[in-house]
Amino acid sequence: MAKTKRLCTLLCRLMALGATVSAAIVMATSHEKANFYSVSFEAKYSHTPAFKYFMIANAIVSVYGVLVLFLPSESLLWRLVVALDVVFTMLLTSSISAALAIAQVGKHGNSYAGWLPICGQVPNYCGHVKGALAAGFIGVILYLLLILYSIHSVLDPLLLRKN
Amino acid sequence: MALETERKTEAIFISSPAQKQKDRILLLLRLVAFFATASATIVMALNKQTNTLVVATIGNNPIKASLTAKFQHTPAFVFFVVANSMASFHNLLILVVEIVGHKIDYKGLRLAIIAILDMLIVVLAAAGDGAAVFMAELGKNGNSHARWNKICDKFQTFCDHGSGALIASFVGLILLLIINIISIAKLFNPKSYNTI
């Protein structure tokens, strides 16, 4: 039973690690130059604070994911891991939400503020960023499942403990 | 065996005065978090500013157009209002349950259910805050690379109210996170509670 639990947790954490690492890397390599009526557009992830935040948050969570994988099975630090999981899931969701908000403005523009959409001029950049956001979203869902699973796996032996 | 099953279905909370003090502090924190998220919702929901700008001049008559900045124009702010209203409703519900329904329990899982619900609400509120903060930053500084102009110089009151709502929401989020971590820590020390 404990071995199945350990295997399940390991697998879930490995997938979440893969998702966050790929989100950070894909966002960091998004770059495109375009020429639009002799005005040159350069689109890079570092021009937008929201995308920078997204990349940094995913990088931090990836480092945390790597460190947690090396934790021995019955250590007392797993209790800290449950609390830290909540904090890092919160960080991840806020980063994906911010990046999605700015990407929505980039794709549809905002007519009330006079902001034109830019996806028409730099379509490859837009597709690249969409891929990064999709990977980040998968990472968020996996981390949400992880915090519920951590609570479940830590709670069961406690609830059935006799006085 | 019968005694054990009896104990499993009964949840007796034996709390010392120190534990009662800690519970009251937790309740107070939750009350403050409720007020913070509720005020953030209300301030952002009532955020509206109308400005008349001179658009063009024909001869000697300036043509004025009145532009309105509302929170509904931006999906990020709509999400912010919705997320904060759900967070304040959750806070209110848990407050009522803790004050009035002190003995309500479900198979000894009361603490676990509150902790899990708190986790989900913390994640939701963090998402709402993140989206609104970056949208507000875009409105304040614009983005020269995408040729998006800033709007805060024309709609100063809108921006001010928005930042006030954001600060209140962040205070509520931090308090909610602290409450959640304390609830999780309580789950690990069942010595203070005689469950099962």
Side-chain angles (χ1 to χ4, degrees), chain A residues 43-102:
Chain A
K44 229 178 128 152
Y45 83 97
S46 51
H47 290 166
T48 320
F51 291 164
K52 274 197 279 194
Y53 175 52
F54 177 77
M55 197 213 65
I56 292 176
N58 273 283
I60 291 176
V61 175
S62 320
V63 168
Y64 165 74
V66 165
L67 286 176
V68 160
L69 279 181
F70 290 132
L71 214 56
S73 180
E74 296 305 327
S75 147
L76 271 180
L77 278 178
W78 278 107
R79 305 179 167 192
L80 187 63
V81 164
V82 173
L84 278 182
D85 260 349
V86 175
V87 172
F88 283 114
T89 308
M90 190 184 83
L91 186 68
L92 264 186
T93 19
S94 86
S95 75
I96 183 94
S97 170
L100 271 172
I102 302 294

Coordinates of all heavy atoms in Angstrom, one line a residue, chain A residues 43-102:
Chain A
A43 N 8.9 40.9 -31.1 CA 8.2 40.4 -30.0 C 9.0 39.4 -29.2 O 9.5 38.4 -29.8 CB 6.9 39.7 -30.5
K44 N 9.2 39.7 -28.0 CA 10.0 38.8 -27.1 C 9.3 38.7 -25.8 O 8.5 39.5 -25.4 CB 11.4 39.5 -26.8 CG 12.6 38.7 -27.1 CD 13.8 39.5 -26.8 CE 14.6 38.7 -25.8 NZ 15.9 38.7 -25.8
Y45 N 9.5 37.6 -25.1 CA 8.8 37.4 -23.9 C 9.2 38.4 -22.8 O 8.4 38.8 -22.0 CB 9.0 36.0 -23.3 CG 10.3 35.8 -22.5 CD1 10.3 35.9 -21.1 CD2 11.5 35.6 -23.1 CE1 11.4 35.8 -20.4 CE2 12.6 35.5 -22.4 CZ 12.6 35.6 -21.0 OH 13.8 35.4 -20.3
S46 N 10.4 38.9 -22.9 CA 10.9 39.8 -21.8 C 10.3 41.2 -22.0 O 10.6 42.1 -21.2 CB 12.4 39.9 -21.8 OG 12.9 40.2 -23.1
H47 N 9.5 41.5 -23.1 CA 8.9 42.8 -23.2 C 7.7 42.9 -22.3 O 7.3 44.1 -22.1 CB 8.5 43.0 -24.7 CG 9.7 43.2 -25.6 ND1 9.5 43.2 -27.0 CD2 11.0 43.4 -25.4 CE1 10.7 43.3 -27.5 NE2 11.6 43.5 -26.6
T48 N 7.2 41.8 -21.9 CA 5.9 41.9 -21.1 C 6.2 41.3 -19.7 O 6.7 40.2 -19.5 CB 4.9 40.9 -21.7 OG1 5.0 41.1 -23.2 CG2 3.5 41.3 -21.3
P49 N 5.9 42.1 -18.7 CA 6.2 41.7 -17.3 C 5.5 40.4 -16.9 O 6.0 39.6 -16.2 CB 5.8 42.8 -16.4 CG 5.7 44.0 -17.3 CD 5.4 43.5 -18.7
A50 N 4.3 40.3 -17.5 CA 3.5 39.1 -17.1 C 4.1 37.8 -17.6 O 4.1 36.8 -16.9 CB 2.0 39.2 -17.7
F51 N 4.7 37.9 -18.8 CA 5.4 36.6 -19.3 C 6.7 36.4 -18.6 O 7.0 35.2 -18.4 CB 5.6 36.8 -20.8 CG 4.4 36.8 -21.7 CD1 4.4 37.2 -23.0 CD2 3.2 36.3 -21.1 CE1 3.2 37.2 -23.7 CE2 2.0 36.3 -21.9 CZ 2.1 36.7 -23.2
K52 N 7.3 37.5 -18.2 CA 8.6 37.2 -17.4 C 8.2 36.6 -16.1 O 8.9 35.6 -15.6 CB 9.2 38.6 -17.1 CG 10.1 39.1 -18.1 CD 11.1 40.2 -17.6 CE 10.3 41.5 -17.6 NZ 11.2 42.6 -17.5
Y53 N 7.1 37.0 -15.4 CA 6.6 36.5 -14.2 C 6.3 35.0 -14.4 O 6.6 34.1 -13.6 CB 5.4 37.3 -13.7 CG 4.8 36.7 -12.4 CD1 5.5 36.5 -11.3 CD2 3.4 36.5 -12.4 CE1 4.8 36.0 -10.2 CE2 2.8 36.1 -11.3 CZ 3.5 35.8 -10.2 OH 2.8 35.3 -9.1
F54 N 5.6 34.7 -15.5 CA 5.2 33.3 -15.8 C 6.5 32.4 -15.9 O 6.5 31.3 -15.3 CB 4.5 33.3 -17.1 CG 4.0 32.0 -17.6 CD1 3.0 31.3 -17.0 CD2 4.7 31.3 -18.6 CE1 2.6 30.1 -17.5 CE2 4.3 30.1 -19.1 CZ 3.3 29.4 -18.5
M55 N 7.5 32.9 -16.6 CA 8.7 32.1 -16.8 C 9.4 31.9 -15.4 O 9.8 30.8 -15.1 CB 9.6 32.7 -17.8 CG 10.6 31.7 -18.3 SD 12.2 32.5 -18.7 CE 12.7 33.0 -17.1
I56 N 9.5 33.0 -14.6 CA 10.2 32.9 -13.4 C 9.5 32.0 -12.4 O 10.1 31.1 -11.7 CB 10.5 34.3 -12.8 CG1 11.4 35.1 -13.7 CG2 11.0 34.2 -11.4 CD1 11.6 36.5 -13.2
A57 N 8.2 32.1 -12.4 CA 7.4 31.3 -11.5 C 7.5 29.8 -11.8 O 7.7 28.9 -10.9 CB 5.9 31.7 -11.5
N58 N 7.5 29.5 -13.1 CA 7.6 28.1 -13.5 C 9.0 27.6 -13.3 O 9.2 26.4 -12.9 CB 7.3 27.9 -15.0 CG 5.8 27.7 -15.2 OD1 5.3 26.6 -15.0 ND2 5.1 28.7 -15.6
A59 N 10.0 28.4 -13.4 CA 11.4 28.0 -13.1 C 11.5 27.7 -11.6 O 12.1 26.6 -11.2 CB 12.4 29.1 -13.5
I60 N 11.0 28.6 -10.7 CA 11.1 28.3 -9.3 C 10.4 27.0 -8.9 O 10.9 26.2 -8.1 CB 10.4 29.5 -8.5 CG1 11.3 30.7 -8.7 CG2 10.3 29.2 -7.1 CD1 10.7 32.0 -8.0
V61 N 9.2 26.8 -9.5 CA 8.4 25.6 -9.1 C 9.2 24.3 -9.7 O 9.1 23.3 -9.0 CB 7.0 25.7 -9.6 CG1 6.3 24.4 -9.4 CG2 6.3 26.8 -9.0
S62 N 9.8 24.5 -10.8 CA 10.6 23.3 -11.3 C 11.7 22.9 -10.4 O 12.0 21.8 -10.1 CB 11.2 23.6 -12.7 OG 10.3 24.3 -13.5
V63 N 12.4 24.0 -9.9 CA 13.5 23.7 -8.9 C 13.0 23.0 -7.7 O 13.6 22.0 -7.2 CB 14.3 25.0 -8.6 CG1 15.2 24.8 -7.4 CG2 15.0 25.5 -9.8
Y64 N 11.8 23.5 -7.2 CA 11.2 22.9 -6.0 C 10.8 21.5 -6.3 O 11.0 20.6 -5.5 CB 10.0 23.7 -5.6 CG 9.0 23.0 -4.7 CD1 9.4 22.9 -3.4 CD2 7.8 22.5 -5.1 CE1 8.5 22.2 -2.5 CE2 7.0 21.9 -4.3 CZ 7.3 21.7 -3.0 OH 6.5 21.1 -2.1
G65 N 10.3 21.2 -7.5 CA 9.9 19.9 -7.9 C 11.1 18.9 -7.9 O 11.0 17.8 -7.5
V66 N 12.2 19.4 -8.4 CA 13.4 18.5 -8.4 C 13.9 18.2 -7.0 O 14.2 17.1 -6.7 CB 14.5 19.2 -9.2 CG1 15.9 18.6 -9.0 CG2 14.2 19.2 -10.7
L67 N 13.8 19.3 -6.1 CA 14.3 19.0 -4.8 C 13.4 18.0 -4.0 O 13.9 17.2 -3.3 CB 14.3 20.3 -4.0 CG 15.5 21.3 -4.4 CD1 15.3 22.6 -3.6 CD2 16.8 20.6 -4.1
V68 N 12.1 18.1 -4.3 CA 11.2 17.2 -3.5 C 11.3 15.8 -4.0 O 11.1 14.9 -3.2 CB 9.7 17.7 -3.8 CG1 8.7 16.7 -3.5 CG2 9.4 18.9 -2.9
L69 N 11.7 15.6 -5.2 CA 11.9 14.2 -5.7 C 12.9 13.5 -4.9 O 12.9 12.2 -4.8 CB 12.3 14.2 -7.2 CG 11.1 14.4 -8.2 CD1 11.7 14.3 -9.6 CD2 10.1 13.3 -8.0
F70 N 13.9 14.2 -4.3 CA 15.0 13.6 -3.7 C 14.7 13.3 -2.2 O 15.6 13.0 -1.4 CB 16.3 14.4 -3.8 CG 16.8 14.3 -5.2 CD1 17.2 15.5 -5.9 CD2 16.9 13.1 -5.9 CE1 17.6 15.4 -7.2 CE2 17.4 13.1 -7.2 CZ 17.7 14.2 -7.8
L71 N 13.5 13.6 -1.8 CA 13.2 13.5 -0.3 C 13.0 12.0 0.0 O 12.3 11.3 -0.7 CB 11.9 14.3 0.0 CG 11.8 15.0 1.3 CD1 12.9 15.9 1.5 CD2 10.5 15.7 1.3
P72 N 13.6 11.5 1.1 CA 13.4 10.1 1.4 C 12.0 9.9 1.9 O 11.3 10.8 2.3 CB 14.4 9.9 2.6 CG 14.7 11.2 3.1 CD 14.6 12.2 2.0
S73 N 11.5 8.6 1.8 CA 10.1 8.3 1.9 C 9.5 8.6 3.2 O 8.4 9.1 3.3 CB 9.9 6.9 1.5 OG 8.5 6.6 1.5
E74 N 10.1 8.3 4.3 CA 9.4 8.4 5.6 C 9.9 9.6 6.4 O 9.8 9.6 7.6 CB 9.6 7.1 6.4 CG 9.0 5.9 5.8 CD 7.5 6.0 5.5 OE1 6.8 6.8 6.2 OE2 7.0 5.5 4.5
S75 N 10.5 10.6 5.7 CA 11.0 11.7 6.5 C 9.9 12.6 7.0 O 8.8 12.6 6.5 CB 11.9 12.5 5.6 OG 11.9 13.8 5.9
L76 N 10.2 13.3 8.1 CA 9.2 14.2 8.7 C 8.9 15.4 7.8 O 8.0 16.2 8.0 CB 9.6 14.7 10.1 CG 9.2 13.8 11.2 CD1 9.7 14.3 12.5 CD2 7.7 13.6 11.3
L77 N 9.9 15.7 6.8 CA 9.7 16.9 6.0 C 8.5 16.8 5.1 O 8.2 17.8 4.5 CB 11.0 17.0 5.2 CG 12.2 17.7 5.9 CD1 13.4 17.8 5.0 CD2 11.8 19.1 6.3
W78 N 7.9 15.6 5.0 CA 6.7 15.5 4.1 C 5.6 16.4 4.6 O 4.8 16.8 3.8 CB 6.2 14.1 4.0 CG 7.0 13.3 3.0 CD1 7.9 12.3 3.2 CD2 7.0 13.5 1.6 NE1 8.5 11.9 2.0 CE2 7.9 12.6 1.0 CE3 6.2 14.3 0.7 CZ2 8.1 12.4 -0.4 CZ3 6.5 14.2 -0.7 CH2 7.4 13.2 -1.2
R79 N 5.6 16.7 5.9 CA 4.5 17.6 6.4 C 4.8 19.0 5.9 O 3.8 19.7 5.5 CB 4.6 17.6 7.9 CG 4.4 16.3 8.4 CD 4.4 16.3 9.9 NE 4.0 15.0 10.4 CZ 3.7 14.8 11.6 NH1 3.8 15.7 12.5 NH2 3.3 13.6 12.0
L80 N 6.1 19.4 5.8 CA 6.4 20.7 5.3 C 6.1 20.8 3.8 O 5.6 21.8 3.2 CB 7.9 21.0 5.5 CG 8.4 22.4 5.1 CD1 7.7 23.4 6.0 CD2 9.9 22.5 5.2
V81 N 6.2 19.6 3.1 CA 6.0 19.6 1.7 C 4.5 19.8 1.4 O 4.2 20.5 0.4 CB 6.4 18.2 1.1 CG1 5.8 18.0 -0.2 CG2 7.9 18.2 1.0
V82 N 3.6 19.4 2.3 CA 2.2 19.6 2.1 C 1.9 21.1 2.1 O 1.2 21.6 1.2 CB 1.4 18.9 3.1 CG1 -0.1 19.3 3.0 CG2 1.5 17.4 3.0
A83 N 2.5 21.8 3.1 CA 2.2 23.3 3.1 C 2.9 24.0 2.0 O 2.3 24.9 1.4 CB 2.7 23.8 4.5
L84 N 4.1 23.6 1.6 CA 4.8 24.3 0.5 C 4.2 24.0 -0.8 O 4.2 24.9 -1.7 CB 6.3 23.8 0.5 CG 7.2 24.4 1.4 CD1 8.6 23.9 1.2 CD2 7.3 25.9 1.2
D85 N 3.5 22.8 -0.9 CA 2.8 22.6 -2.2 C 1.7 23.6 -2.4 O 1.5 24.0 -3.5 CB 2.1 21.2 -2.1 CG 3.0 20.1 -2.8 OD1 3.9 20.5 -3.6 OD2 2.7 18.9 -2.7
V86 N 1.0 23.9 -1.3 CA -0.1 24.9 -1.4 C 0.5 26.2 -1.9 O -0.1 26.9 -2.8 CB -0.8 25.1 -0.1 CG1 -1.9 26.2 -0.2 CG2 -1.5 23.8 0.3
V87 N 1.6 26.7 -1.3 CA 2.2 28.0 -1.6 C 2.6 28.0 -3.1 O 2.3 28.9 -3.8 CB 3.3 28.3 -0.7 CG1 4.1 29.5 -1.2 CG2 2.9 28.4 0.7
F88 N 3.2 26.9 -3.5 CA 3.7 26.9 -4.9 C 2.6 26.7 -5.9 O 2.7 27.3 -7.0 CB 4.8 25.8 -5.1 CG 6.1 26.2 -4.5 CD1 6.7 25.6 -3.4 CD2 6.8 27.3 -5.1 CE1 7.9 26.0 -2.9 CE2 8.0 27.7 -4.5 CZ 8.5 27.1 -3.5
T89 N 1.5 26.0 -5.5 CA 0.4 26.0 -6.5 C -0.2 27.3 -6.6 O -0.6 27.7 -7.7 CB -0.7 25.0 -5.9 OG1 0.0 23.8 -5.6 CG2 -1.8 24.8 -6.9
M90 N -0.3 28.1 -5.5 CA -0.8 29.5 -5.5 C 0.0 30.3 -6.5 O -0.5 31.1 -7.3 CB -0.8 30.0 -4.1 CG -1.5 31.3 -4.0 SD -1.3 32.0 -2.3 CE 0.2 32.8 -2.4
L91 N 1.4 30.2 -6.4 CA 2.3 30.9 -7.2 C 2.0 30.6 -8.7 O 1.9 31.5 -9.6 CB 3.7 30.6 -6.9 CG 4.8 31.4 -7.6 CD1 4.7 32.8 -7.1 CD2 6.1 30.8 -7.3
L92 N 1.9 29.3 -9.0 CA 1.7 28.9 -10.4 C 0.4 29.4 -10.9 O 0.3 29.9 -12.1 CB 1.7 27.3 -10.4 CG 2.9 26.6 -10.8 CD1 2.6 25.1 -10.9 CD2 3.5 27.1 -12.0
T93 N -0.7 29.3 -10.1 CA -2.0 29.7 -10.7 C -2.0 31.2 -10.9 O -2.6 31.7 -11.9 CB -3.2 29.5 -9.7 OG1 -2.7 29.3 -8.5 CG2 -4.0 28.3 -10.2
S94 N -1.4 32.0 -10.0 CA -1.4 33.4 -10.3 C -0.6 33.8 -11.5 O -0.9 34.7 -12.3 CB -0.9 34.2 -9.1 OG 0.5 34.3 -9.1
S95 N 0.5 33.0 -11.8 CA 1.3 33.3 -12.9 C 0.6 33.0 -14.2 O 0.6 33.7 -15.2 CB 2.7 32.6 -12.9 OG 2.5 31.2 -13.2
I96 N -0.1 31.8 -14.2 CA -0.8 31.4 -15.5 C -2.0 32.4 -15.7 O -2.3 32.7 -16.9 CB -1.3 29.9 -15.5 CG1 -1.9 29.6 -16.8 CG2 -2.3 29.7 -14.4 CD1 -1.0 29.0 -17.7
S97 N -2.6 32.8 -14.6 CA -3.7 33.7 -14.8 C -3.3 35.1 -15.3 O -3.9 35.6 -16.2 CB -4.4 33.9 -13.4 OG -5.3 34.9 -13.4
A98 N -2.1 35.6 -14.8 CA -1.6 36.9 -15.3 C -1.2 36.7 -16.8 O -1.6 37.6 -17.6 CB -0.4 37.3 -14.5
A99 N -0.5 35.6 -17.1 CA -0.1 35.5 -18.5 C -1.3 35.3 -19.5 O -1.3 35.9 -20.6 CB 0.8 34.3 -18.7
L100 N -2.3 34.6 -19.0 CA -3.5 34.5 -19.8 C -4.2 35.8 -20.1 O -4.7 36.1 -21.1 CB -4.5 33.5 -19.2 CG -4.3 32.0 -19.5 CD1 -5.2 31.2 -18.7 CD2 -4.6 31.8 -21.0
A101 N -4.2 36.7 -19.0 CA -4.9 38.0 -19.1 C -4.2 38.8 -20.2 O -4.9 39.4 -21.1 CB -4.9 38.7 -17.8
I102 N -2.8 38.8 -20.1 CA -2.1 39.7 -21.1 C -2.2 39.1 -22.5 O -2.3 39.8 -23.5 CB -0.7 39.9 -20.7 CG1 -0.6 40.5 -19.3 CG2 0.1 40.7 -21.6 CD1 -1.1 41.9 -19.3

